[in-house]
Amino acid sequence: MHPLRDRKAVVRSRSRSTLLLTIYFLVALIIPNCVLANTEHYSVWTVEALILMPLGFYMMWSVLLRRSGIMIWLGFPFIFFGAFQLALLYLFGNSIIATDMFTNVLTTNPGEAGELLGNIYPAVIVICVIYVPLLWFASREIGHRRCISRTARMNLGFLGAILFSLGWLSLWPAWRTTGDRHILRDKIFPINVMYNVRLCAAEFRRMQHFEESAAGFTFGARRTAEAGGREIYVYVIGEAARAMNWQLYGYGRETNPELSRVEDQVVFRNILTQSNTTHKSVPLLLSSVGTGEHDELYRRRGLPHLFNEAGFETWFISNQSPQGAMIDKLAADAAHVRYIRSPRYDMQLLDEMRRAVESSQAPRICFILHCYGSHFSYHQRYPREFARFLPDDDVAIAAKHRDKLLNAYDNSVLYTDHFLARTIEYLRGMSDTRSALLYCADHGEDLIDDERERFLHASPTTTAWQLHVAGLAWFSDAYRREFPGKAEAALRNAAAPATTHAMFHTMADIASIRGGEYLRTSVSLVSDDFDRTAPRCYLNDHNEAVPFAETGLTQADVELLRRPFGVYLLLSGAS
């Protein structure tokens, strides 16, 4: 027996297992980079930097301490980012974790998050298989106090430094060949993600200080005309309603059977959203700020405040939970705020509005109704009697289940059709009341529509399905008699190129409200002053106003927007 030889053999065996665990750590962390190298349209030099810089850094990180298990757990943020990135690649097919996605995580209620995770279980399983054993083995190494050998540490550290340096050097030719000076910030995972986390934190700080920054703000609202009798104006904010699946826009299925029979409505056929994320698009629908004035969002009050100043009784009724985002800040200015509890079918919004109208003696009322609309999971957004398109089972998000997902989505549109038609019917039945309804969705939705297999919304790069949203207006006979010019202008502007920025100004103009520099009839769809030549822009992930052509649209997307509905994109300028 040779005890010393046996002890050395045990030490070598343990050191070898620690080395294998370190290699496992490196492979697990570099997987997202390898996937991104194939999904993104990067130059060869950018791909080299994308792989070599992070891999070199992870190598050096893993051997900073002799006990690799500790370094693996200290590297948990990298593991979290890697897992998050793979989940989003499963959903969107490309793109890094965006600033908006971190904000979505922080503002999404647990129920919605559970619905989504339950339907991407294949991705969740793969992620767990990759990362959970890694953390378990790391914990085991810590418990056994195992260390990596001095030779392995030196070799890995030295090789890591070389790879990191080569990746850093490759940034220069990447800059030269692409002309992009923000490659490191925007394209190298996880550096880009860390930058986006910082942006997200900055946005949250500004949101938390909204009451201070907007203190004392006033629109200077005044009315240019007042109707005789009672006035009720309803602003309906839809959810994830892409125009392509509405019968009113030429869709082959009967998803709008009730609205199709409403002859005196005006369908706006050419509206693009300013953002494909709810936490940005809805505040923009509630605010006077333009796409290129994002900073002003934290200094101006919203639509409820405007109508308060104009002497209206204001109601904000939401079928979505409070989100802790700017939506809640702007909505809080309403005199009455209601959040509906489960089961949250949108007809409950009409029920709440009926009760409010019956209990109020106010001569002028403004309602803002925030729908749940076509928010995923679609089959939960409508009662079973509206399950016209079958099967609509709750299934995993996958191309093979596309028909079921589409059926459920179309059923949710069918239910939105019912809700809007019944709301119009209710307003129509009021005697001696000047009333109007304006509806617009916050953004569209991807439904695994092509070879990209994109799903949901909120991706850093857009698609035609996410951008083109449904919008319409309706005016009562009494309103048309009192303000014939506004209803006629809406009809003339039905095909005018607009963004969701027009909705705030349109709603104010419907109620004949002016507000100094903050309200413009050139952006109102019920005014002949509407500027059809103004360029349309999108608020990107870094809160920069960019032309829609620079949001990641493919040529197929552009053609889809142009052909069926007469939508065209202006390729320069900001609004």
Side-chain angles (χ1 to χ4, degrees):
M1 297 288 291
H2 298 281
L4 182 60
R5 186 184 305 166
D6 291 343
R7 184 172 182 277
K8 288 182 178 179
V10 171
V11 170
R12 283 196 299 272
S13 175
R14 289 178 176 176
S15 179
R16 190 179 303 114
S17 69
T18 304
L19 176 60
L20 290 175
L21 177 60
T22 302
I23 293 173
Y24 178 11
F25 173 66
L26 299 175
V27 171
L29 289 189
I30 206 64
I31 288 174
N33 298 69
C34 295
V35 177
L36 287 167
N38 287 279
T39 61
E40 309 306 298
H41 299 292
Y42 291 164
S43 69
V44 173
W45 294 108
T46 302
V47 170
E48 186 173 317
L50 173 68
I51 301 296
L52 296 183
M53 281 185 66
L55 181 58
F57 173 80
Y58 295 146
M59 283 182 169
M60 292 185 286
W61 174 273
S62 67
V63 296
L64 281 176
L65 297 178
R66 291 178 60 212
R67 299 176 65 184
S68 292
I70 293 177
M71 291 310 303
I72 290 172
W73 270 103
L74 289 176
F76 182 80
F78 305 129
I79 295 173
F80 172 79
F81 290 148
F84 196 2
Q85 180 65 71
L86 290 177
L88 294 185
L89 285 169
Y90 178 84
L91 271 178
F92 300 138
N94 65 352
S95 301
I96 56 98
I97 307 172
T99 305
D100 289 332
M101 188 52 60
F102 285 112
T103 308
N104 286 339
V105 170
L106 295 172
T107 59
T108 297
N109 68 65
E112 291 177 1
E115 290 174 6
L116 178 59
L117 290 175
N119 285 273
I120 61 168
Y121 66 82
V124 173
I125 291 173
V126 170
I127 289 167
C128 289
V129 167
I130 294 172
Y131 295 109
V132 171
L134 173 64
L135 294 171
W136 185 84
F137 283 124
S139 300
R140 191 166 176 269
E141 292 291 295
I142 293 171
H144 290 134
R145 304 182 65 83
R146 290 176 180 169
C147 301
I148 193 170
S149 69
R150 185 171 183 273
T151 301
R153 285 182 71 200
M154 290 181 62
N155 289 342
L156 281 173
F158 182 67
L159 179 58
I162 292 174
L163 293 178
F164 184 87
S165 299
L166 290 174
W168 182 267
L169 291 173
S170 66
L171 289 174
W172 174 249
W175 288 332
R176 292 294 300 271
T177 55
T178 64
D180 185 355
R181 298 299 177 184
H182 299 294
I183 290 176
L184 188 63
R185 185 195 75 179
D186 296 343
K187 296 181 178 178
I188 307 302
F189 179 87
I191 295 172
N192 46 15
V193 175
M194 294 176 182
Y195 176 78
N196 289 344
V197 168
R198 187 180 70 82
L199 281 182
C200 176
E203 288 295 297
F204 259 81
R205 283 195 299 270
R206 297 173 71 184
M207 181 190 70
Q208 293 302 321
H209 291 93
F210 172 73
E211 293 300 332
E212 301 169 24
S213 59
F217 175 83
T218 178
F219 285 99
R222 57 184 175 82
R223 299 201 69 193
T224 58
E226 292 196 33
R230 201 177 198 189
E231 295 175 84
I232 296 179
Y233 302 121
V234 182
Y235 185 29
V236 185
I237 299 175
E239 172 66 50
R242 69 186 207 177
M244 280 77 163
N245 283 60
W246 281 47
Q247 180 185 352
L248 294 177
Y249 291 81
Y251 186 49
R253 281 178 160 178
E254 291 188 1
T255 53
N256 301 125
E258 296 186 54
L259 284 175
S260 295
R261 294 193 293 270
V262 178
E263 297 181 355
D264 52 351
Q265 68 180 324
V266 178
V267 178
F268 298 118
R269 301 187 174 277
N270 201 339
I271 301 176
L272 302 181
T273 183
Q274 297 170 88
S275 173
N276 63 359
T277 61
T278 297
H279 74 266
K280 285 201 301 196
S281 59
V282 175
L284 289 171
L285 282 163
L286 291 172
S287 175
S288 64
V289 302
T291 316
E293 303 174 303
H294 178 260
D295 290 348
E296 284 293 306
L297 183 64
Y298 303 99
R299 292 192 282 267
R300 295 187 198 174
R301 298 288 182 177
L303 195 71
H305 190 86
L306 173 70
F307 274 78
N308 287 340
E309 286 189 27
F312 281 76
E313 179 178 283
T314 52
W315 289 76
F316 182 88
I317 308 174
S318 178
N319 207 10
Q320 301 195 28
S321 299
Q323 300 181 351
M326 276 301 295
I327 302 171
D328 304 336
K329 300 288 186 182
L330 297 173
D333 282 332
H336 308 276
V337 179
R338 299 283 189 274
Y339 288 97
I340 295 174
R341 298 180 182 274
S342 296
R344 290 191 182 150
Y345 295 136
D346 282 341
M347 281 297 291
Q348 292 172 263
L349 293 169
L350 177 56
D351 295 337
E352 288 284 340
M353 190 177 83
R354 277 198 182 107
R355 285 191 285 269
V357 171
E358 292 168 1
S359 64
S360 175
Q361 300 300 315
R364 295 182 294 274
I365 310 177
C366 172
F367 288 98
I368 301 171
L369 309 182
H370 188 195
C371 301
Y372 223 172
S374 297
H375 192 290
F376 188 79
S377 197
Y378 313 127
H379 76 287
Q380 296 186 15
R381 302 299 161 242
Y382 50 89
R384 291 313 300 167
E385 58 264 31
F386 287 87
R388 175 178 297 182
F389 307 107
L390 299 171
D392 63 343
D393 306 336
D394 185 18
V395 292
I397 299 169
K400 65 181 180 180
H401 297 144
R402 201 259 175 176
D403 289 345
K404 293 179 180 179
L405 292 167
L406 180 63
N407 287 340
Y409 182 86
D410 286 348
N411 287 334
S412 72
V413 175
L414 180 69
Y415 188 60
T416 297
D417 170 77
H418 175 71
F419 160 66
L420 290 174
R422 290 302 173 90
T423 303
I424 290 172
E425 180 183 333
Y426 172 67
L427 294 173
R428 192 194 302 275
M430 292 182 177
S431 60
D432 195 31
T433 300
R434 283 71 179 162
S435 59
L437 178 145
L438 179 67
Y439 169 86
C440 186
D442 56 353
H443 52 70
E445 190 91 335
D446 282 326
L447 293 170
I448 316 179
D449 300 287
D450 55 26
E451 66 279 358
R452 290 173 292 181
E453 297 189 3
R454 299 276 292 273
F455 192 71
L456 295 181
H457 54 272
S459 53
T461 56
T462 66
T463 65
W465 291 280
Q466 289 189 34
L467 293 180
H468 190 198
V469 296
L472 59 87
W474 173 86
F475 310 95
S476 70
D477 290 339
Y479 183 93
R480 289 173 181 271
R481 287 193 297 269
E482 196 86 30
F483 306 108
K486 296 183 186 296
E488 292 166 5
L491 192 59
R492 287 190 289 271
N493 288 326
T499 68
T500 48
H501 174 49
M503 294 301 108
F504 178 99
H505 299 271
T506 301
M507 195 64 196
D509 200 4
I510 285 173
S512 301
I513 300 175
R514 296 287 181 271
E517 62 181 300
Y518 303 111
L519 298 181
R520 294 177 291 155
T521 55
S522 63
V523 198
S524 166
L525 289 168
V526 294
S527 171
D528 285 326
D529 295 337
F530 185 82
D531 186 359
R532 295 166 178 255
T533 66
R536 295 188 287 178
C537 287
Y538 179 84
L539 192 65
N540 72 8
D541 184 54
H542 290 167
N543 296 320
E544 302 161 337
V546 298
F548 281 94
E550 296 177 12
T551 64
L553 293 175
T554 65
Q555 188 58 38
D557 286 316
V558 174
E559 291 303 319
L560 183 62
L561 286 169
R562 281 176 173 158
R563 280 201 303 261
F565 311 112
V567 176
Y568 62 89
L569 304 178
L570 298 179
L571 303 182
S572 62
S575 64

